[in-house]
Amino acid sequence: MLRTTLKVVGWFFLFVTNALAFWASTFLISYGLKSLGIVIASLIVIVDFIFFSRRAYPYRYIIPAVILLAILVVYPIYFTINIAFTNYGTGHIEVREEVVKRLITDPLYTYIPEEAHSVSYTVFVRYENLSPTDDFLIVFNVGGHHFVAGVAQPKVRRGREIVLREGVLVPVTSEHHDFQGHVLEVVPDDFFNLTDARMLKIGEEVYRRFYNPDDPFTVRNEMFFKSRIGQKYLANAEYITPDGVRLALKISSDGKWRFFPVKRLYVLSYREVEIDGERVFKSVVINTKTNRPLLEEEGAFYELTSEGKKKFVAGYIDYVGVRNFMRIFTDPSVSRPFLKIFAWNFTWAALSVLFTFIVGLSFALVLNDRTLKGRVLYRTLLIVPWAIPAFISVLVWRNGIFNESYGLLNKFLLSIFGIKLKWFSDAFLAKIACLAVNTWLGFPYMMTVSLGALQSIPDEFYEAAAMDGAGKVQRFFSITFPLLLTTVAPLLVGSFAFNFNNFVNIYLLTQGGPPMPNTTTPAGATDILISYTYKLAFEGGRGQDFGFASAVSVIIFVIVAGISFVNFKLSGSFEEVSR
């Protein structure tokens, strides 16, 4: 019985997982994330095959690892490489279809015709416990005819965002007061003065006169109308009259919020264009004011002004080939800071390894002396910088020691030598501060590694060297150092790779500053490639540039992969696998 119950629960769980995966994949594909949707669909097919196939039974135990590997490792790598060949970034967030849809449907892209005049309207709201609610009716007076409308219904959505609402104006006559299947009553019963009515009643619901921009008695309700009704329901709404005229809420010249007849600024059409010497029909966006198509190039739509200049309208994600990579080498304002950052990145990683190794080895040699008293205490105290989280240590160094106004170091220099150093304003001093902090944080690791390696060297080697007359220095460079490097060399390469991408220390200490002059990207003197990539993606002064940041990330990946390959070669990992 228990076995049957577990089997039923397992099948039910598999069914629910399939349903959720199918919904997730279709949802992602419908919103433009096709690659992730395909990955999820492929994973569920693989999982089903493993569960339904007897031959694949042993692979059930690696299903969680496969899923996590695909979603958290393989897909991010693919996504980053894919984005590196696009213009994805500020102004180019959506695909072309979404941008075109927004241009032809978004109420932002409408205009008021020159001959149009505002339409008189009155808002009636329903009260609860003497407090107004956002349940409302609007009475329009269009050309002497009365129309009633309620909350406009969502027409165009983008995820949870409502791009466009549309409502229909229902004409009201004295003979037939009907609204949405209910009898519309005017209280008091004065239909011919409906715009000035004090109360409307639909079924059992009563709506009281609340706001009219020309009624001084309802001015006190203006803020509620704007915040709870105007911005929430009417800012992206259009009401359509029986004649097909669209009314939208706009700010008039007197500062009041009024309804005006509006027209679409852009419409979609198909025209014959020449592409690569061939005449083909292509969808183009037409400006209804000028009846001219928008210029489309390099993933963006542009208006051409009367002077022939291009005016940006909207951008979309487009493949640009290797342009992001070529910018690094062809654009001087990009290549100069990039090469400086690249050189500093190597210098930073190499010097960090060198300094931490020298300091750590020095302490290890002292602690390896068996005649030293209190070795355990010293070793414990020297590991403290490694035990404290780097996040805390870096902030202590930044605000407590290197602070230019009240830091301990500047206070000491001012009292002894009468000088104050600009640790974070001068590029050279900022680099010294970065190396000093990283040495403090990294030497305990090197000390521990070196101490372990030193203790593995047999004492017989030193005894034989002493009998041959070798001094301490000669024994160190002939025995200790060569044998130490045999063990420590792969760890030094790994430490180099770690410091090459040591984002936390750089960003918390200097934020990559001070800024480099004459650059079009947010580059700093102490930036390394990974912090530079972060700034490009999230902190660019001219907007976010995910495409270029991804291209830099790909370069970092290639460099780190090369370092890892060298590390594996030095450690003999490939030979172990081949066995």
Side-chain angles (χ1 to χ4, degrees), residues 5 113 187 240 340-341 374 470 473 562:
T5 303
V187 183
I240 306 174
K340 289 181 180 178
I341 292 172
V473 176

Side-chain angles (χ1 to χ4, degrees), residues 89-109:
T90 301
H92 303 271
I93 300 295
E94 301 173 314
V95 296
R96 185 182 186 276
E97 293 77 9
E98 289 293 331
V99 172
V100 171
K101 185 178 181 180
R102 186 177 286 272
L103 287 175
I104 64 177
T105 60
D106 197 323
L108 290 174
Y109 299 105

